[in-house]
Amino acid sequence: MPEIDPKTQTELEAAVFRRLVSHLRNRPDVQNIDLMNLAGFCRNCLSNWLKDAADERGLPLTKDESREQVYGMPYEAWKAQHQAEATPEQQAAFAGRQAEPH
């Protein structure tokens, strides 16, 4: 990869983040537990990482605000519209992944 200045690097990374968030907003059929089981992160992780970045910079951002940035709507509304109850298999896979060292 060619040498990229820090400002451009940040802009590229921000564009990737926006594209990932957009992709996840367009795929509400993909459940958070499936993301966690397959990739080890989910929409809630992204919103937590966004809040952590804001906190590190002393910017006021609540957990609800960071979730709305990722979900594109209030979290409770997203859950009511899109979140299915986790199956026993999904829950078992999640519990197994939680036991693995990170």
Side-chain angles (χ1 to χ4, degrees):
M1 187 165 183
E3 187 69 29
I4 297 176
D5 65 273
K7 180 180 182 296
T8 301
Q9 181 72 31
T10 298
E11 291 168 354
L12 292 173
E13 292 166 351
V16 170
F17 175 78
R18 289 189 298 271
R19 188 169 178 179
L20 174 60
V21 167
S22 175
H23 180 77
L24 290 173
R25 285 182 185 175
N26 289 319
R27 290 297 311 270
D29 58 307
V30 177
Q31 296 293 298
N32 279 335
I33 195 162
D34 292 325
L35 288 169
M36 286 298 296
N37 287 341
L38 293 171
F41 79 99
C42 69
R43 293 169 183 90
N44 287 335
C45 297
L46 289 174
S47 69
N48 291 340
W49 299 338
L50 180 61
K51 181 170 178 2
D52 290 346
D55 289 348
E56 288 171 9
R57 288 157 184 80
L59 301 172
L61 183 68
T62 68
K63 183 175 182 175
D64 288 336
E65 290 167 339
S66 67
R67 282 185 168 178
E68 192 163 338
Q69 288 293 311
V70 170
Y71 285 92
M73 64 179 69
Y75 178 59
E76 293 303 320
W78 190 91
K79 281 183 14 180
Q81 291 178 29
H82 304 293
Q83 187 166 305
E85 189 70 31
T87 67
E89 295 80 14
Q90 288 170 316
Q91 292 174 355
F94 181 76
R97 292 219 14 108
Q98 295 305 305
E100 295 174 7
H102 292 88

